[in-house]
Amino acid sequence: MTVLLTVVGILIVVVGIIVSVALHEIGHLLPAKLFKVRVTQYMVGFGPTIWSTRRGETEYGIKAILLGGYVAMIGMYPEPEKKADDAAATGEEPGEQKVTEPTDSYLREVGAQYAAPPIERSAAAEQLPDEAKRTVASHSTGLFQQMSAEAREVAAEELKEGDEDRLFYKLPAWKKIIVMLGGPAMNGLLALGLTAGTISLHGTNEAVPRVAEVYECVVSVQASEAGRDECTAQDPPGPAYEAGLRPGDEIIEFRGEPIEEWDELTALIREAAGESSQLVYLRDGQQHTTTLTPIETERPVTDRLGRVQTDATGQMITEPVGFIGMGADQEVIRQPPWEAGPIVWAQTEAVVGVVATLPVRMYDVAVTTFTDAERDPDGPVSVVGVGRIAGEISAQDQIPWESRLATLLSLVAGVNVALMVFNLIPLLPLDGGHVAGALWEALRRRLAKLRGRPDPGPFDISKLLPLTYVVAILMFAMGGLLISADIVDPIRLFE
């Protein structure tokens, strides 16, 4: 039964991720079609095509490797410049210059400034016989320029008559940005929708002002990290235990302040270190009053998601606060849908923090993969790691099935947050790289206009292909390392 539950959990998350990728690409597809760009393909996956159908001018399909997707739009790169060697195909005489009026409005506008001057030969050269006269064509042979030219030539092969005004690179910068932000925006909406659904229909585990456990003594953070959980004569007694609090007691008042939520109680306790405080609680329907003094102790600093914070060296960050030595009970409480906003925002901040320190995080993953070091549970994971976590959650049959399903959907929502943030990194081939290119295009056009210079025209992102290939190689290497880590040293939620 455990194996079956594990497989079901993995399938739920895998299907959720595939649907998320498909909707991400729809986020690009819809605005592209709205802006009249010709879209040749909408594909989910990579590799050989398993199934496809054509609707109008677009082929829709599914490929064998469901680890991504793409939307193919014509005119991602400007058309290649016409080579001088093409003269033979047009019937021109060798060395003859044929001057034609450009059909593109942009080229007509700036052609005068950038047109090549007429070829002039010296008097000595003119005295040579015709067969000895040669014209040397200038071509860039640099590797980067060649890569750019080849990419433009390949892209130009898809052009058909009537595509002149349907090329992506000819879109205004703001339209390019909308097309490229459509994918990450779709992931953000999915994260909000899934989160709103789970917290409003099922709820979230919330700490309530009811005592779940009481500690007889207060063990230091250092001793706890060392694995000691038993009291010694040197450990101070737990204030809550000394005051007579026991599991099941419901706290209703602290220092004269009514208590409705556990966070309200902990905030008051943390500020009352060393101060005698009155506490009112209910036990078996009867109200009781006791007095206790929170002791000052070093406790871990946590973020809004409840995760323990660490410094640059990986050490736990602590702060001196009041502590009485008791733990809260948990209940599943439904939240209004609009509470999804702060939750997704907190997740986004957390993912941005991971991405900002990604080189360090990947180094840590490599160290823990090939050594006995403990892996950071808040570090990056691959799709394999996500699947393992999903299977682990689903296999916990002591947890109600609706709670497990809600957790799996929340996991898919978290993956969408990660997809949104990762795709916004301003590097090609990611969506953020195209957005950065469009912003640069808009900036240089605006600066040219302010300086009274000719419009420099669209920015040719094919010139960044070398960087694109480097980023792609690094992404594949990072994926391979994370997959290896998730197989050799996976993150486990339950021991």
Side-chain angles (χ1 to χ4, degrees):
M1 189 65 178
T2 300
V3 174
L4 178 60
L5 289 174
T6 301
V7 172
V8 170
I10 293 174
L11 287 177
I12 289 175
V13 170
V14 167
V15 171
I17 293 176
I18 293 174
V19 172
S20 299
V21 170
L23 291 175
H24 173 100
E25 298 305 331
I26 287 179
H28 295 307
L29 176 72
L30 295 180
K33 285 185 171 290
L34 177 65
F35 296 142
K36 308 301 181 184
V37 176
R38 184 161 69 86
V39 180
T40 58
Q41 284 187 316
Y42 166 86
M43 291 289 170
V44 177
F46 301 106
T49 301
I50 297 176
W51 170 87
S52 70
T53 183
R54 179 169 294 278
R55 294 289 184 271
E57 61 189 14
T58 305
E59 179 188 10
Y60 301 85
I62 299 175
K63 291 184 173 287
I65 305 174
L66 298 174
L67 293 178
Y70 64 91
V71 169
M73 297 175 284
I74 63 165
M76 292 297 293
Y77 309 133
E79 300 97 324
E81 297 176 358
K82 185 177 180 181
K83 296 180 181 179
D85 296 340
D86 293 340
T90 60
E92 298 176 18
E93 294 295 329
E96 178 184 352
Q97 296 186 80
K98 182 178 180 180
V99 180
T100 59
E101 179 74 5
T103 58
D104 185 87
S105 58
Y106 163 70
L107 294 178
R108 287 199 302 269
E109 180 181 348
V110 300
Q113 285 99 353
Y114 295 95
I119 297 175
E120 296 181 1
R121 293 187 174 92
S122 66
E126 289 296 342
Q127 295 176 2
L128 293 173
D130 290 342
E131 60 271 14
K133 296 178 182 178
R134 298 183 182 275
T135 299
V136 179
S138 176
H139 295 289
S140 175
T141 58
L143 175 61
F144 292 172
Q145 292 89 338
Q146 182 179 351
M147 293 169 65
S148 174
E150 290 177 353
R152 291 160 66 180
E153 290 174 1
V154 171
E157 293 176 358
E158 297 182 349
L159 301 183
K160 300 190 302 186
E161 185 176 356
D163 284 342
E164 292 80 8
D165 297 323
R166 304 188 65 189
L167 306 177
F168 177 81
Y169 83 90
K170 289 187 177 181
L171 290 177
W174 66 272
K175 289 187 177 180
K176 293 180 182 177
I177 293 173
I178 290 177
V179 172
M180 287 304 164
L181 288 183
M186 183 66 77
N187 290 129
L189 291 175
L190 282 172
L192 283 170
L194 288 170
T195 303
T198 54
I199 68 174
S200 61
L201 298 178
H202 175 263
T204 58
N205 284 326
E206 299 286 341
V208 295
R210 186 171 57 246
V211 180
E213 54 184 343
V214 182
Y215 309 125
E216 295 185 26
C217 66
V218 179
V219 179
S220 67
V221 173
Q222 292 75 16
S224 178
E225 285 186 326
R228 182 169 67 84
D229 55 4
E230 296 180 355
C231 295
T232 66
Q234 289 74 33
D235 297 324
Y241 186 83
E242 275 195 324
L245 291 174
R246 296 296 182 265
D249 293 344
E250 183 177 351
I251 312 301
I252 60 175
E253 186 179 303
F254 184 77
R255 305 191 73 180
E257 296 288 340
I259 302 299
E260 295 183 359
E261 297 181 0
W262 178 260
D263 289 342
E264 297 174 344
L265 176 62
T266 56
L268 293 171
I269 293 173
R270 293 166 75 92
E271 296 174 356
E275 301 177 8
S276 179
S277 306
Q278 188 178 74
L279 182 146
V280 181
Y281 62 95
L282 292 177
R283 178 183 295 171
D284 299 328
Q286 298 295 318
Q287 181 172 307
H288 302 270
T289 301
T290 187
T291 301
L292 50 77
T293 302
I295 63 173
E296 184 176 283
T297 183
E298 295 288 331
R299 307 309 299 172
V301 176
T302 59
D303 61 13
R304 286 187 292 175
L305 297 177
R307 302 178 307 172
V308 175
Q309 298 297 284
T310 57
D311 58 21
T313 63
Q315 297 297 314
M316 181 189 302
I317 301 175
T318 62
E319 61 180 349
V321 296
F323 184 74
I324 64 174
M326 68 179 185
D329 203 354
Q330 299 277 329
E331 284 186 2
V332 177
I333 301 176
R334 291 184 179 181
Q335 306 285 344
W338 52 83
E339 288 296 328
I343 294 174
V344 172
W345 178 254
Q347 292 175 334
T348 302
E349 289 181 327
V351 175
V352 169
V354 172
V355 171
T357 57
L358 196 56
V360 176
R361 302 269 186 163
M362 293 306 301
Y363 173 79
D364 292 340
V365 170
V367 169
T368 58
T369 301
F370 300 106
T371 67
D372 294 331
E374 185 177 353
R375 188 172 176 185
D376 181 6
D378 296 324
V381 296
S382 70
V383 65
V384 173
V386 173
R388 293 192 67 149
I389 292 173
E392 191 176 357
I393 292 171
S394 182
Q396 304 302 311
D397 53 6
Q398 73 274 19
I399 301 175
W401 70 267
E402 59 271 18
S403 295
R404 282 176 282 168
L405 178 60
T407 304
L408 293 177
L409 294 178
S410 297
L411 184 59
V412 175
V415 170
N416 274 275
V417 172
L419 288 173
M420 175 184 67
V421 174
F422 189 75
N423 273 285
L424 289 177
I425 297 175
L427 291 172
L428 291 170
L430 301 172
D431 298 332
H434 291 279
V435 172
L439 290 173
W440 169 244
E441 174 185 315
L443 176 62
R444 71 175 191 166
R445 281 183 153 177
R446 177 57 61 90
L447 291 176
K449 184 177 181 180
L450 292 175
R451 296 174 180 175
R453 296 180 179 179
D455 186 345
F459 175 62
D460 184 6
I461 62 172
S462 68
K463 296 178 180 178
L464 299 179
L465 281 177
L467 175 61
T468 303
Y469 295 148
V470 171
V471 173
I473 292 172
L474 290 176
M475 289 172 59
F476 278 115
M478 182 178 69
L481 175 59
L482 288 176
I483 290 174
S484 300
D486 290 331
I487 294 174
V488 175
D489 184 26
I491 293 175
R492 301 183 185 278
L493 300 182
F494 306 93
E495 296 295 340

